mmCIF file of all heavy atoms in Angstrom:
data_model
loop_
_atom_site.group_PDB
_atom_site.id
_atom_site.type_symbol
_atom_site.label_atom_id
_atom_site.label_comp_id
_atom_site.label_asym_id
_atom_site.label_seq_id
_atom_site.Cartn_x
_atom_site.Cartn_y
_atom_site.Cartn_z
ATOM 1 N N GLY A 1 201.747 203.891 94.162
ATOM 2 C CA GLY A 1 200.620 203.630 93.286
ATOM 3 C C GLY A 1 199.274 204.081 93.798
ATOM 4 O O GLY A 1 198.258 203.879 93.137
ATOM 5 N N LYS A 2 199.275 204.704 94.981
ATOM 6 C CA LYS A 2 198.009 205.146 95.552
ATOM 7 C C LYS A 2 198.026 206.649 95.769
ATOM 8 O O LYS A 2 199.066 207.287 95.794
ATOM 9 C CB LYS A 2 197.741 204.411 96.856
ATOM 10 C CG LYS A 2 197.577 202.920 96.657
ATOM 11 C CD LYS A 2 196.968 202.258 97.868
ATOM 12 C CE LYS A 2 196.696 200.781 97.607
ATOM 13 N NZ LYS A 2 196.087 200.106 98.778
ATOM 14 N N GLU A 3 196.845 207.214 95.938
ATOM 15 C CA GLU A 3 196.748 208.654 96.118
ATOM 16 C C GLU A 3 197.187 209.042 97.531
ATOM 17 O O GLU A 3 197.157 208.232 98.450
ATOM 18 C CB GLU A 3 195.312 209.122 95.883
ATOM 19 C CG GLU A 3 194.293 208.541 96.838
ATOM 20 C CD GLU A 3 192.872 208.963 96.497
ATOM 21 O OE1 GLU A 3 192.637 209.393 95.356
ATOM 22 O OE2 GLU A 3 192.011 208.853 97.378
ATOM 23 N N ARG A 4 197.567 210.286 97.648
ATOM 24 C CA ARG A 4 197.965 210.821 98.948
ATOM 25 C C ARG A 4 196.719 210.971 99.823
ATOM 26 O O ARG A 4 195.715 211.537 99.388
ATOM 27 C CB ARG A 4 198.649 212.173 98.736
ATOM 28 C CG ARG A 4 199.479 212.641 99.877
ATOM 29 C CD ARG A 4 200.359 213.806 99.448
ATOM 30 N NE ARG A 4 201.365 213.393 98.465
ATOM 31 C CZ ARG A 4 202.334 214.183 98.035
ATOM 32 N NH1 ARG A 4 202.433 215.429 98.509
ATOM 33 N NH2 ARG A 4 203.211 213.759 97.157
ATOM 34 N N LYS A 5 196.810 210.483 101.061
ATOM 35 C CA LYS A 5 195.639 210.464 101.925
ATOM 36 C C LYS A 5 195.840 211.291 103.188
ATOM 37 O O LYS A 5 196.932 211.339 103.754
ATOM 38 C CB LYS A 5 195.283 209.028 102.304
ATOM 39 C CG LYS A 5 194.814 208.185 101.127
ATOM 40 C CD LYS A 5 194.347 206.819 101.581
ATOM 41 C CE LYS A 5 193.801 206.009 100.415
ATOM 42 N NZ LYS A 5 193.352 204.662 100.838
ATOM 43 N N PHE A 6 194.775 211.886 103.640
ATOM 44 C CA PHE A 6 194.769 212.715 104.837
ATOM 45 C C PHE A 6 195.035 211.890 106.092
ATOM 46 O O PHE A 6 194.480 210.807 106.255
ATOM 47 C CB PHE A 6 193.410 213.412 104.950
ATOM 48 C CG PHE A 6 193.188 214.140 106.235
ATOM 49 C CD1 PHE A 6 193.866 215.320 106.499
ATOM 50 C CD2 PHE A 6 192.304 213.654 107.178
ATOM 51 C CE1 PHE A 6 193.658 215.996 107.689
ATOM 52 C CE2 PHE A 6 192.086 214.319 108.368
ATOM 53 C CZ PHE A 6 192.764 215.503 108.620
ATOM 54 N N VAL A 7 195.879 212.433 106.964
ATOM 55 C CA VAL A 7 196.147 211.802 108.255
ATOM 56 C C VAL A 7 195.642 212.688 109.394
ATOM 57 O O VAL A 7 194.886 212.241 110.257
ATOM 58 C CB VAL A 7 197.647 211.531 108.443
ATOM 59 C CG1 VAL A 7 197.924 210.977 109.842
ATOM 60 C CG2 VAL A 7 198.159 210.563 107.380
ATOM 61 N N ALA A 8 196.068 213.954 109.410
ATOM 62 C CA ALA A 8 195.699 214.852 110.498
ATOM 63 C C ALA A 8 195.881 216.293 110.047
ATOM 64 O O ALA A 8 196.648 216.573 109.116
ATOM 65 C CB ALA A 8 196.548 214.582 111.738
ATOM 66 N N ALA A 9 195.162 217.191 110.722
ATOM 67 C CA ALA A 9 195.304 218.615 110.443
ATOM 68 C C ALA A 9 195.142 219.393 111.739
ATOM 69 O O ALA A 9 194.451 218.952 112.660
ATOM 70 C CB ALA A 9 194.268 219.075 109.420
ATOM 71 N N ILE A 10 195.777 220.556 111.778
ATOM 72 C CA ILE A 10 195.740 221.382 112.978
ATOM 73 C C ILE A 10 195.542 222.836 112.583
ATOM 74 O O ILE A 10 196.068 223.298 111.578
ATOM 75 C CB ILE A 10 197.039 221.190 113.795
ATOM 76 C CG1 ILE A 10 196.931 221.816 115.174
ATOM 77 C CG2 ILE A 10 198.250 221.735 113.035
ATOM 78 C CD1 ILE A 10 198.070 221.380 116.112
ATOM 79 N N SER A 11 194.758 223.537 113.387
ATOM 80 C CA SER A 11 194.479 224.946 113.113
ATOM 81 C C SER A 11 195.680 225.813 113.452
ATOM 82 O O SER A 11 196.661 225.354 114.038
ATOM 83 C CB SER A 11 193.263 225.392 113.934
ATOM 84 O OG SER A 11 193.552 225.307 115.327
ATOM 85 N N ARG A 12 195.586 227.074 113.101
ATOM 86 C CA ARG A 12 196.680 228.016 113.320
ATOM 87 C C ARG A 12 197.059 228.120 114.798
ATOM 88 O O ARG A 12 198.236 228.190 115.131
ATOM 89 C CB ARG A 12 196.295 229.388 112.780
ATOM 90 C CG ARG A 12 196.203 229.442 111.273
ATOM 91 C CD ARG A 12 195.378 230.637 110.809
ATOM 92 N NE ARG A 12 195.253 230.631 109.355
ATOM 93 C CZ ARG A 12 194.449 229.827 108.684
ATOM 94 N NH1 ARG A 12 193.684 228.961 109.315
ATOM 95 N NH2 ARG A 12 194.400 229.893 107.361
ATOM 96 N N SER A 13 196.070 228.108 115.649
ATOM 97 C CA SER A 13 196.334 228.243 117.081
ATOM 98 C C SER A 13 196.723 226.931 117.732
ATOM 99 O O SER A 13 197.276 226.911 118.828
ATOM 100 C CB SER A 13 195.085 228.791 117.783
ATOM 101 O OG SER A 13 194.047 227.816 117.714
ATOM 102 N N GLY A 14 196.393 225.822 117.070
ATOM 103 C CA GLY A 14 196.634 224.506 117.653
ATOM 104 C C GLY A 14 195.464 223.984 118.460
ATOM 105 O O GLY A 14 195.516 222.859 118.973
ATOM 106 N N ARG A 15 194.403 224.772 118.564
ATOM 107 C CA ARG A 15 193.279 224.363 119.411
ATOM 108 C C ARG A 15 192.361 223.361 118.726
ATOM 109 O O ARG A 15 191.666 222.606 119.395
ATOM 110 C CB ARG A 15 192.492 225.594 119.858
ATOM 111 C CG ARG A 15 193.206 226.431 120.903
ATOM 112 C CD ARG A 15 192.247 227.431 121.532
ATOM 113 N NE ARG A 15 191.870 228.481 120.582
ATOM 114 C CZ ARG A 15 192.493 229.649 120.490
ATOM 115 N NH1 ARG A 15 193.528 229.910 121.268
ATOM 116 N NH2 ARG A 15 192.086 230.555 119.635
ATOM 117 N N THR A 16 192.362 223.367 117.403
ATOM 118 C CA THR A 16 191.503 222.446 116.664
ATOM 119 C C THR A 16 192.366 221.448 115.905
ATOM 120 O O THR A 16 193.238 221.845 115.132
ATOM 121 C CB THR A 16 190.605 223.194 115.676
ATOM 122 O OG1 THR A 16 189.809 224.147 116.395
ATOM 123 C CG2 THR A 16 189.695 222.227 114.936
ATOM 124 N N ILE A 17 192.120 220.176 116.151
ATOM 125 C CA ILE A 17 192.888 219.113 115.497
ATOM 126 C C ILE A 17 191.905 218.063 114.990
ATOM 127 O O ILE A 17 190.944 217.716 115.684
ATOM 128 C CB ILE A 17 193.887 218.458 116.472
ATOM 129 C CG1 ILE A 17 194.756 219.514 117.148
ATOM 130 C CG2 ILE A 17 194.777 217.465 115.726
ATOM 131 C CD1 ILE A 17 195.633 218.979 118.267
ATOM 132 N N ARG A 18 192.154 217.575 113.813
ATOM 133 C CA ARG A 18 191.322 216.543 113.200
ATOM 134 C C ARG A 18 192.194 215.384 112.753
ATOM 135 O O ARG A 18 193.315 215.585 112.311
ATOM 136 C CB ARG A 18 190.560 217.112 112.008
ATOM 137 C CG ARG A 18 189.585 218.224 112.365
ATOM 138 C CD ARG A 18 188.376 217.691 113.099
ATOM 139 N NE ARG A 18 187.375 218.736 113.328
ATOM 140 C CZ ARG A 18 187.225 219.375 114.456
ATOM 141 N NH1 ARG A 18 188.027 219.085 115.484
ATOM 142 N NH2 ARG A 18 186.293 220.292 114.590
ATOM 143 N N TYR A 19 191.642 214.167 112.853
ATOM 144 C CA TYR A 19 192.360 212.966 112.467
ATOM 145 C C TYR A 19 191.499 212.082 111.573
ATOM 146 O O TYR A 19 190.270 212.033 111.728
ATOM 147 C CB TYR A 19 192.750 212.134 113.700
ATOM 148 C CG TYR A 19 193.620 212.849 114.697
ATOM 149 C CD1 TYR A 19 193.062 213.483 115.804
ATOM 150 C CD2 TYR A 19 195.004 212.884 114.539
ATOM 151 C CE1 TYR A 19 193.855 214.138 116.725
ATOM 152 C CE2 TYR A 19 195.808 213.541 115.469
ATOM 153 C CZ TYR A 19 195.218 214.163 116.555
ATOM 154 O OH TYR A 19 196.017 214.814 117.456
ATOM 155 N N THR A 20 192.150 211.351 110.690
ATOM 156 C CA THR A 20 191.423 210.324 109.990
ATOM 157 C C THR A 20 191.122 209.190 110.983
ATOM 158 O O THR A 20 191.873 208.973 111.944
ATOM 159 C CB THR A 20 192.220 209.821 108.782
ATOM 160 O OG1 THR A 20 191.391 209.036 107.945
ATOM 161 C CG2 THR A 20 193.440 209.014 109.201
ATOM 162 N N ASP A 21 190.049 208.468 110.740
ATOM 163 C CA ASP A 21 189.585 207.477 111.727
ATOM 164 C C ASP A 21 190.636 206.423 112.058
ATOM 165 O O ASP A 21 190.744 205.972 113.201
ATOM 166 C CB ASP A 21 188.324 206.793 111.209
ATOM 167 C CG ASP A 21 187.099 207.691 111.297
ATOM 168 O OD1 ASP A 21 187.166 208.717 111.995
ATOM 169 O OD2 ASP A 21 186.086 207.358 110.665
ATOM 170 N N SER A 22 191.427 206.022 111.088
ATOM 171 C CA SER A 22 192.352 204.911 111.292
ATOM 172 C C SER A 22 193.503 205.237 112.241
ATOM 173 O O SER A 22 194.196 204.321 112.702
ATOM 174 C CB SER A 22 192.910 204.433 109.958
ATOM 175 O OG SER A 22 193.645 205.463 109.330
ATOM 176 N N VAL A 23 193.708 206.517 112.548
ATOM 177 C CA VAL A 23 194.815 206.881 113.444
ATOM 178 C C VAL A 23 194.341 207.479 114.762
ATOM 179 O O VAL A 23 195.159 207.752 115.647
ATOM 180 C CB VAL A 23 195.805 207.857 112.761
ATOM 181 C CG1 VAL A 23 196.249 207.316 111.410
ATOM 182 C CG2 VAL A 23 195.225 209.256 112.624
ATOM 183 N N LYS A 24 193.041 207.666 114.899
ATOM 184 C CA LYS A 24 192.515 208.242 116.137
ATOM 185 C C LYS A 24 192.894 207.371 117.335
ATOM 186 O O LYS A 24 192.762 206.155 117.297
ATOM 187 C CB LYS A 24 190.995 208.382 116.052
ATOM 188 C CG LYS A 24 190.539 209.524 115.174
ATOM 189 C CD LYS A 24 189.008 209.607 115.119
ATOM 190 C CE LYS A 24 188.574 210.737 114.225
ATOM 191 N NZ LYS A 24 187.091 210.786 114.077
ATOM 192 N N GLY A 25 193.357 208.017 118.398
ATOM 193 C CA GLY A 25 193.772 207.299 119.596
ATOM 194 C C GLY A 25 195.206 206.809 119.551
ATOM 195 O O GLY A 25 195.748 206.377 120.576
ATOM 196 N N ARG A 26 195.840 206.855 118.379
ATOM 197 C CA ARG A 26 197.231 206.403 118.242
ATOM 198 C C ARG A 26 198.166 207.546 117.851
ATOM 199 O O ARG A 26 199.313 207.581 118.297
ATOM 200 C CB ARG A 26 197.327 205.298 117.185
ATOM 201 C CG ARG A 26 196.514 204.068 117.500
ATOM 202 C CD ARG A 26 196.823 202.936 116.526
ATOM 203 N NE ARG A 26 196.519 203.297 115.140
ATOM 204 C CZ ARG A 26 197.414 203.283 114.148
ATOM 205 N NH1 ARG A 26 198.665 202.933 114.382
ATOM 206 N NH2 ARG A 26 197.050 203.608 112.918
ATOM 207 N N PHE A 27 197.694 208.458 117.025
ATOM 208 C CA PHE A 27 198.519 209.568 116.548
ATOM 209 C C PHE A 27 198.080 210.863 117.218
ATOM 210 O O PHE A 27 196.888 211.068 117.473
ATOM 211 C CB PHE A 27 198.377 209.734 115.033
ATOM 212 C CG PHE A 27 199.006 208.650 114.203
ATOM 213 C CD1 PHE A 27 199.457 207.466 114.759
ATOM 214 C CD2 PHE A 27 199.147 208.828 112.834
ATOM 215 C CE1 PHE A 27 200.024 206.470 113.984
ATOM 216 C CE2 PHE A 27 199.719 207.848 112.025
ATOM 217 C CZ PHE A 27 200.146 206.669 112.603
ATOM 218 N N THR A 28 199.041 211.723 117.469
ATOM 219 C CA THR A 28 198.761 213.036 118.031
ATOM 220 C C THR A 28 199.527 214.092 117.249
ATOM 221 O O THR A 28 200.757 214.029 117.145
ATOM 222 C CB THR A 28 199.166 213.109 119.502
ATOM 223 O OG1 THR A 28 198.465 212.102 120.254
ATOM 224 C CG2 THR A 28 198.818 214.484 120.083
ATOM 225 N N MET A 29 198.796 215.040 116.718
ATOM 226 C CA MET A 29 199.420 216.158 116.004
ATOM 227 C C MET A 29 199.490 217.357 116.921
ATOM 228 O O MET A 29 198.557 217.627 117.685
ATOM 229 C CB MET A 29 198.618 216.500 114.752
ATOM 230 C CG MET A 29 199.277 217.539 113.871
ATOM 231 S SD MET A 29 198.371 217.763 112.330
ATOM 232 C CE MET A 29 199.462 218.922 111.469
ATOM 233 N N SER A 30 200.594 218.092 116.836
ATOM 234 C CA SER A 30 200.747 219.296 117.636
ATOM 235 C C SER A 30 201.613 220.285 116.873
ATOM 236 O O SER A 30 202.215 219.937 115.856
ATOM 237 C CB SER A 30 201.370 218.967 118.994
ATOM 238 O OG SER A 30 202.664 218.416 118.824
ATOM 239 N N ARG A 31 201.659 221.509 117.378
ATOM 240 C CA ARG A 31 202.503 222.522 116.741
ATOM 241 C C ARG A 31 203.101 223.414 117.806
ATOM 242 O O ARG A 31 202.508 223.626 118.876
ATOM 243 C CB ARG A 31 201.711 223.348 115.718
ATOM 244 C CG ARG A 31 200.632 224.225 116.303
ATOM 245 C CD ARG A 31 199.783 224.844 115.175
ATOM 246 N NE ARG A 31 200.556 225.736 114.335
ATOM 247 C CZ ARG A 31 200.159 226.107 113.101
ATOM 248 N NH1 ARG A 31 199.002 225.646 112.611
ATOM 249 N NH2 ARG A 31 200.908 226.930 112.389
ATOM 250 N N ASP A 32 204.270 223.941 117.476
ATOM 251 C CA ASP A 32 204.945 224.912 118.330
ATOM 252 C C ASP A 32 205.221 226.129 117.459
ATOM 253 O O ASP A 32 206.178 226.139 116.676
ATOM 254 C CB ASP A 32 206.238 224.334 118.892
ATOM 255 C CG ASP A 32 206.897 225.244 119.903
ATOM 256 O OD1 ASP A 32 206.642 226.462 119.889
ATOM 257 O OD2 ASP A 32 207.696 224.732 120.702
ATOM 258 N N ASN A 33 204.384 227.140 117.595
ATOM 259 C CA ASN A 33 204.521 228.314 116.731
ATOM 260 C C ASN A 33 205.793 229.107 117.036
ATOM 261 O O ASN A 33 206.272 229.861 116.191
ATOM 262 C CB ASN A 33 203.288 229.201 116.853
ATOM 263 C CG ASN A 33 202.087 228.600 116.127
ATOM 264 O OD1 ASN A 33 202.228 227.669 115.335
ATOM 265 N ND2 ASN A 33 200.904 229.126 116.405
ATOM 266 N N SER A 34 206.358 228.931 118.216
ATOM 267 C CA SER A 34 207.609 229.622 118.538
ATOM 268 C C SER A 34 208.803 228.976 117.843
ATOM 269 O O SER A 34 209.852 229.605 117.684
ATOM 270 C CB SER A 34 207.834 229.633 120.046
ATOM 271 O OG SER A 34 208.121 228.324 120.527
ATOM 272 N N LYS A 35 208.623 227.719 117.422
ATOM 273 C CA LYS A 35 209.696 226.999 116.733
ATOM 274 C C LYS A 35 209.388 226.743 115.264
ATOM 275 O O LYS A 35 210.156 226.058 114.584
ATOM 276 C CB LYS A 35 209.949 225.663 117.441
ATOM 277 C CG LYS A 35 210.464 225.804 118.854
ATOM 278 C CD LYS A 35 210.741 224.451 119.476
ATOM 279 C CE LYS A 35 211.305 224.604 120.878
ATOM 280 N NZ LYS A 35 211.576 223.281 121.510
ATOM 281 N N ASN A 36 208.266 227.259 114.792
ATOM 282 C CA ASN A 36 207.860 227.051 113.394
ATOM 283 C C ASN A 36 207.859 225.572 113.025
ATOM 284 O O ASN A 36 208.319 225.179 111.944
ATOM 285 C CB ASN A 36 208.771 227.822 112.436
ATOM 286 C CG ASN A 36 208.577 229.319 112.522
ATOM 287 O OD1 ASN A 36 207.733 229.804 113.275
ATOM 288 N ND2 ASN A 36 209.368 230.071 111.779
#
């Protein structure tokens, strides 16, 4: 019943990551471009 909300985003290289305030310090986003 609620809208989809942003949690985290990561740039193509993985060097830039952004989090919504409620998950900062608890969630970590990462990517492995070799594993897609």
